[in-house]
Amino acid sequence: MPSHLPGIASGRLSPDEYAANFLDIHPPLDHHQAVVEADRCYFCYDAPCVKACPTSIDIPLFIRQIMTDNPIGSAETILSQNILGGMCARVCPTETLCEEACVREEAEGKPVKIGLLQRYATDVLMDERGEQPFERADSTGKRVAVVGAGPAGLAAAHRLAMHGHDVVIYDAREKAGGLNEYGIAAYKAPDDFAQKEVDFVLSIGGITVEHGKAIGRDVSLSDLRNSYDAVFLGMGLAGVNALGLENEDLDGIADAVDYIADLRQATDLSTLPVGARVVVVGGGMTAIDVAVQSKRLGAKDVTLVYRRGQEKMGASGYEQDLAQTDGVVIRHNAKPKSLVTEAGRVTGIEFEETLEDGGRLVGTGVTFTLPADTVFKAIGQTLVPAALNGSAETIALDGGKIRVDDERRTTLPGVWAGGDCAATGEDLTVAAVADGRIAAESIHRALSSVAA
């Protein structure tokens, strides 16, 4: 973001304020706290929390292992289902998944702190043991290409390596991790945890990462299919939805995902420019993350505007409360109508109030304008289908994403897909990990049957 524009500046806070604003938002439990919290679990038979977890972690078992002072065993229980269990413990919306399903939540409105307990166990294993708890099988001689080093790709690569297959990951960026490295709010995963977890995953062996290699630009799907025994696509969503307004290319308007990536890679937050008056358009987790971080970087006024009602927002209730506690104003039922510009830059944005008519969003004709030094677009990302061109056959899409079956097989033989680029449901880190693991097991079965 250009820092020379009026109203946009870096260094708005003192070093101590930056440090305090980007501390770990969920301080970890110590040993005593973890054991006490674990003791609250009822260890339900047919536990609803397990059903609510996209990776089907045996939650009662790992909590019982913590209670019996076996955090290493607990971590292995977690990681056997979710190799990125450490990051998921930090970023998963547990309040709408396992903790919402917890019987204590229903009974007393205070669920077992499953996310923090999962973090406790995985941190103990990674910090105290540090080594990979899983062994790689003897080499099968089979080679699998994985496109994307995000949660889906890493999960697939790790499980494939466990089965003895050789894996090459192609990733467009300079670092592995995907959204965990570039797209998560800095206060959710401080201390370079994303890269520590990547190193942990890769330590199983048999996995090579080719950085700066984007599908459609540096490698083609057709070439990968010809060179490898199987291909897994987990490259996420590279496109950003536009607002559809005139002058969207002017200074003062930016993609939220790009700004968050810049923030995550900044070694000195005081050098990162931020507007005094920030408007965020969107209602999902990315919108909340860029709004809260703008405020924590020193923006004076931050307003998030969503086109529908509060109940339709993609961000969880907890995230919305966090934003408002930080001073972010959230306005509902308004859609962007036009950008206000002056001297080649954006100075504000006009909105039209909306209502739902039989499920259809319509404008009311009532408008209002918010002054802004910066407008962030956070209305979703899209797959760039052109990146998949070059194959002799066309890969089928479903709703703008790659169509897959229950085993994450695409319509192209020998090609699987998962994560945000695939039409599998929720766009969550934990769901992407589940996709990667499911696809890897399917790939392993397919390669094993060929070998037989």
Side-chain angles (χ1 to χ4, degrees), residues 34-54:
V35 172
V36 170
E37 187 62 27
D39 192 46
R40 296 185 62 239
C41 182
Y42 287 143
F43 307 110
C44 304
Y45 174 77
D46 200 22
C49 56
V50 176
K51 295 179 180 179
C53 174

Side-chain angles (χ1 to χ4, degrees), residues 243 252-255 279-281 339 346 348-349 372-377:
L243 299 178
I253 185 164
D255 295 334
V279 175
V280 180
V281 181
L339 294 170
V346 172
I349 180 169
D373 305 304
T374 305
V375 174
F376 283 118
K377 296 180 287 185

Side-chain angles (χ1 to χ4, degrees), residues 243 256 279-288 290-291 303-308 312-315 320 329-332 334-336 349 351 375-380:
L243 299 178
V279 175
V280 180
V281 181
M285 301 294 276
T286 299
I288 293 289
V290 77
T303 304
L304 185 152
V305 185
Y306 177 59
R307 59 182 180 148
R308 297 184 185 271
K312 296 290 182 66
M313 289 183 68
Q320 294 176 49
V329 175
I330 300 179
R331 298 189 64 163
H332 305 103
K335 62 179 181 179
I349 180 169
F351 291 90
V375 174
F376 283 118
K377 296 180 287 185
I379 55 173

Side-chain angles (χ1 to χ4, degrees), residues 8 36 41 69 72 99 110 114 126 266 269 325 367 396:
I8 298 177
V36 170
C41 182
D69 202 24
I72 298 295
E99 291 179 16
K110 189 178 179 182
I114 298 170
M126 291 179 67
L269 293 177
T325 300
T367 64

Side-chain angles (χ1 to χ4, degrees), residues 315-329:
S316 67
Y318 167 79
E319 294 286 344
Q320 294 176 49
D321 291 343
L322 171 67
Q324 291 173 313
T325 300
D326 270 31
V328 175
V329 175

Side-chain angles (χ1 to χ4, degrees), residues 144 160 165 230-232 416 438-448:
V144 181
L160 288 164
H165 307 302
V231 178
F232 175 77
W416 285 253
I438 291 168
E441 293 294 355
S442 179
I443 292 170
H444 176 60
R445 287 191 294 272
L447 296 183
S448 298

